[in-house]
Amino acid sequence: MTTSDTLALDGTVSYAADSGGIAEIVLRRPAKLNAIGDVMAAELRERLQQFDLDDAAGVAILSGEGRAFCAGADVKRHERSTEDRLKAKVNDQRRDLMNSALNWKPVIAAVHGYVYGFGLSLALRADIIVAGRDARFQVAEIPRGLSGSTLWAALKFRGLGSFADDVVLTGRGFSAEEALAGGVINAVVDEGQHVEEGRRWAQRILANPQGAVRDSVRTRRWYAQSFLREAQILSQPHPDLHESQDFKSRVKDFSTRKDKGQDQ
């Protein structure tokens, strides 16, 4: 059974591949700053699988439409019963966004605007990250009373030392320039040029023998996933932070600000 057997997809993630072997996967929920709920997450998995099985595509560029790459998980996603969240968590683990690949093709995250929470996690799971100068990153889970353990592991995997400790424990935002200096991302370009920069990286990658590229991608992702898996195991004994009063009050405050037209 695929994800689409249980969730009706709604066209919020598009897929297109050109004749040069580059596929573009675009998050298309700009009115919500590409915040990702269950249906959109399911569609993203479908598009990544489509890319993995597309013989004409060798590299994918993942980007977001509108003012942001992804402002995080849709807050309504967390306003569910514990049983529903557990079911969703099992489905997420069974269908990991990057590591359920068969062909191990590289994915480039071309980000701009808000790259918060789930959006940051999504970008960090890509193999290459390029960012517009307007990109703003944040481990948004911490200020909302949730665990940042897997994001800490993903940041540490990129060799970040004390910078990962800083941005995870404080929950502060950080700029594209800080991310580049800290080793989080691979390049910073002028605002609006992030997708074109992603294409330049894709063309350089496609110039190499693809068997060697994919073998390297598979090894890299295996090691990255081992960091994330250990972080997930260590966080299991902790109480469900979605049930805490801190989280519920922060969600209520966030929803109120959204209703008033305040993005974050």
Side-chain angles (χ1 to χ4, degrees):
M1 177 181 293
T2 66
T3 309
S4 57
D5 291 329
T6 56
L7 289 171
L9 305 186
D10 59 4
T12 51
V13 184
S14 66
Y15 177 88
D18 65 20
S19 59
I22 300 174
E24 291 197 29
I25 301 172
V26 185
L27 307 179
R28 297 192 183 278
R29 199 187 179 201
K32 297 293 185 180
L33 300 174
N34 296 318
I36 295 182
D38 291 335
V39 174
M40 192 172 179
E43 187 155 9
L44 178 56
R45 291 189 193 96
E46 292 285 331
R47 299 296 164 248
L48 286 167
Q49 183 180 56
Q50 183 178 358
F51 161 63
D52 186 51
L53 300 177
D54 186 350
D55 292 336
V59 180
I61 300 170
L62 176 63
S63 64
E65 180 181 7
R67 296 188 294 122
F69 171 67
C70 174
D74 191 330
V75 69
K76 292 182 179 178
R77 188 182 189 191
H78 295 302
E79 294 176 335
R80 300 174 294 184
S81 68
T82 301
E83 181 180 358
D84 287 342
R85 280 199 304 275
L86 287 173
K87 288 179 180 178
K89 187 174 182 180
V90 169
N91 287 335
D92 287 347
Q93 291 172 342
R94 288 177 179 172
R95 302 182 182 91
D96 182 88
L97 287 171
M98 300 293 180
N99 288 294
S100 58
L102 296 175
N103 293 304
W104 304 102
K105 303 174 187 178
V107 175
I108 299 168
V111 306
H112 74 295
Y114 297 128
V115 191
Y116 285 1
F118 188 91
L120 176 57
S121 177
L122 180 59
L124 289 172
R125 288 174 185 269
D127 303 291
I128 297 290
I129 307 171
V130 299
R133 210 169 298 281
D134 62 326
R136 185 73 176 173
F137 304 85
Q138 186 184 27
V139 182
E141 287 79 357
I142 295 298
R144 294 175 189 167
L146 299 177
S147 173
S149 60
T150 55
L151 274 166
W152 179 87
L155 289 165
K156 280 286 189 181
F157 176 73
R158 290 178 175 263
L160 288 184
S162 61
F163 184 77
D165 301 331
D166 171 6
V167 298
V168 171
L169 296 179
T170 67
R172 71 173 182 87
F174 54 101
S175 68
E177 285 81 3
E178 283 184 279
L180 181 64
V184 182
I185 64 178
N186 301 90
V188 176
V189 293
D190 290 338
E191 186 174 342
Q193 296 299 308
H194 54 289
V195 174
E196 187 57 36
E197 179 68 6
R199 294 187 67 83
R200 285 191 283 269
W201 279 81
Q203 288 162 357
R204 292 198 291 269
I205 291 170
L206 288 169
N208 291 313
Q210 292 305 289
V213 168
R214 295 179 188 183
D215 187 66
S216 299
V217 167
R218 183 175 186 175
T219 301
R220 179 197 171 279
R221 290 190 193 169
W222 188 91
Y223 276 101
Q225 185 62 18
S226 70
F227 270 65
L228 296 176
R229 189 180 301 113
E230 289 180 12
Q232 289 167 346
I233 291 171
L234 288 171
S235 66
Q236 288 307 306
H238 299 176
D240 189 346
L241 295 176
H242 290 94
E243 297 296 331
S244 71
Q245 191 57 46
D246 281 338
F247 174 72
K248 291 176 181 178
S249 63
R250 293 300 176 100
V251 166
K252 183 178 180 180
D253 177 63
F254 179 80
S255 299
T256 300
R257 287 188 287 116
K258 291 289 285 185
D259 290 341
K260 293 180 179 179
Q262 301 172 15
D263 292 335
Q264 293 292 328

